[in-house]
Amino acid sequence: GENVEQHPSTLSVQEGDSAVIKCTYSDSASNYFPWYKQELGKGPQLIIDIRSNVGEKKDQRIAVTLNKTAKHFSLHITETQPEDSAVYFCAASHRDDKIIFGKGTRLHILP
Amino acid sequence: NAGVTQTPKFQVLKTGQSMTLQCAQDMNHNSMYWYRQDPGMGLRLIYYSASEGTTDKGEVPNGYNVSRLNKREFSLRLESAAPSQTSVYFCASSQGTSGRGQETQYFGPGTRLLVL
């Protein structure tokens, strides 16, 4: 079955700098890669996703890149702000098997 | 719209007790999911339901049962709780009919369960 590895587990960046979180997956059949953000005390919320027919997707300060050959995808947050502090989860899914999440990255934005 | 609601918010059980976690969604979604979240382990899928009347095992189904009561409601039952089931439980729903999470999942606020 699918296995998703996420790094780093904790990340601290200065406000205004960029943050990058990386994930690798094992099943080459996976074709959908969402990113969820979880704020303290709340359920996760989708912030961006990418499908395997696209190499990059951007939404304002957030972007996701996908390298199918290497089987890894990354979340990029530019011009970080205090409200970006949260736990971020990547996941991988394909139509014939259940979705698998990474273990999460706790992002701290330092003032 | 309330989205996805879960009850209770918090529960303490003794080892061996049983309980049912309730989940309901008002978005007319087809697929529903139950996850557990443990420190350092991320989100792990327990069971999912691609449509009313169907349920399938996820990554960690042992010790749990589920019921898709109707399109709106998906319950998770612990028949004999164990300390290893201490966790935060999240219910989610999505529009698709595959149960594979290949579209936006909407999560509830979670149920914090402590088994002594």
Side-chain angles (χ1 to χ4, degrees):
Chain A
E2 177 65 276
N3 182 48
V4 176
E5 299 283 343
Q6 183 172 346
H7 300 280
S9 57
T10 305
L11 178 62
S12 296
V13 300
Q14 291 292 139
E15 183 179 346
D17 288 350
S18 296
V20 180
I21 303 171
K22 299 181 179 182
C23 288
T24 60
Y25 61 100
S26 61
D27 192 339
S28 57
S30 289
N31 63 351
Y32 176 68
F33 308 93
W35 285 90
Y36 284 83
K37 175 184 180 182
Q38 185 180 27
E39 296 177 347
L40 194 62
K42 296 184 177 180
Q45 184 173 14
L46 182 77
I47 54 171
I48 196 166
D49 57 9
I50 191 168
R51 298 192 185 269
S52 59
N53 58 346
V54 175
E56 183 174 0
K57 185 176 179 180
K58 192 173 181 179
D59 182 4
Q60 299 182 5
R61 297 186 296 108
I62 295 173
V64 56
T65 58
L66 172 65
N67 183 327
K68 286 191 296 183
T69 304
K71 289 190 281 190
H72 68 70
F73 57 111
S74 300
L75 177 71
H76 305 253
I77 305 174
T78 59
E79 300 173 9
T80 53
Q81 300 171 3
E83 54 265 35
D84 295 328
S85 291
V87 178
Y88 292 81
F89 294 99
C90 64
S93 165
H94 66 78
R95 63 179 183 181
D96 295 323
D97 203 357
K98 51 192 170 291
I99 187 168
I100 300 294
F101 281 79
K103 293 183 178 181
T105 296
R106 185 173 297 276
L107 176 62
H108 299 277
I109 306 302
L110 306 173
Chain B
N1 283 355
V4 178
T5 57
Q6 294 183 234
T7 56
K9 286 186 171 54
F10 180 71
Q11 184 74 45
V12 179
L13 291 179
K14 294 181 179 178
T15 297
Q17 288 185 319
S18 62
M19 79 162 294
T20 299
L21 281 64
Q22 307 286 355
C23 173
Q25 51 91 9
D26 62 1
M27 296 173 282
N28 200 36
H29 283 170
N30 295 295
S31 295
M32 297 186 74
Y33 312 79
W34 275 106
Y35 293 91
R36 61 178 289 174
Q37 183 176 27
D38 303 294
M41 296 299 293
L43 291 163
R44 291 184 293 170
L45 184 64
I46 304 172
Y47 271 94
Y48 65 96
S49 169
S51 62
E52 183 179 351
T54 68
T55 61
D56 285 287
K57 295 178 180 179
E59 287 180 89
V60 288
N62 291 347
Y64 305 94
N65 287 302
V66 290
S67 295
R68 184 73 183 268
L69 304 170
N70 47 56
K71 193 171 186 179
R72 290 188 63 250
E73 298 171 290
F74 188 37
S75 63
L76 179 71
R77 182 161 177 83
L78 287 70
E79 290 291 352
S80 179
S84 61
Q85 294 179 304
T86 292
S87 188
V88 181
Y89 292 86
F90 288 99
C91 177
S93 70
S94 67
Q95 181 60 49
T97 56
S98 71
R100 305 302 189 191
Q102 294 224 314
E103 59 285 322
T104 304
Q105 291 187 58
Y106 295 84
F107 284 80
T111 293
R112 189 174 296 273
L113 178 66
L114 175 62
V115 183
L116 301 175

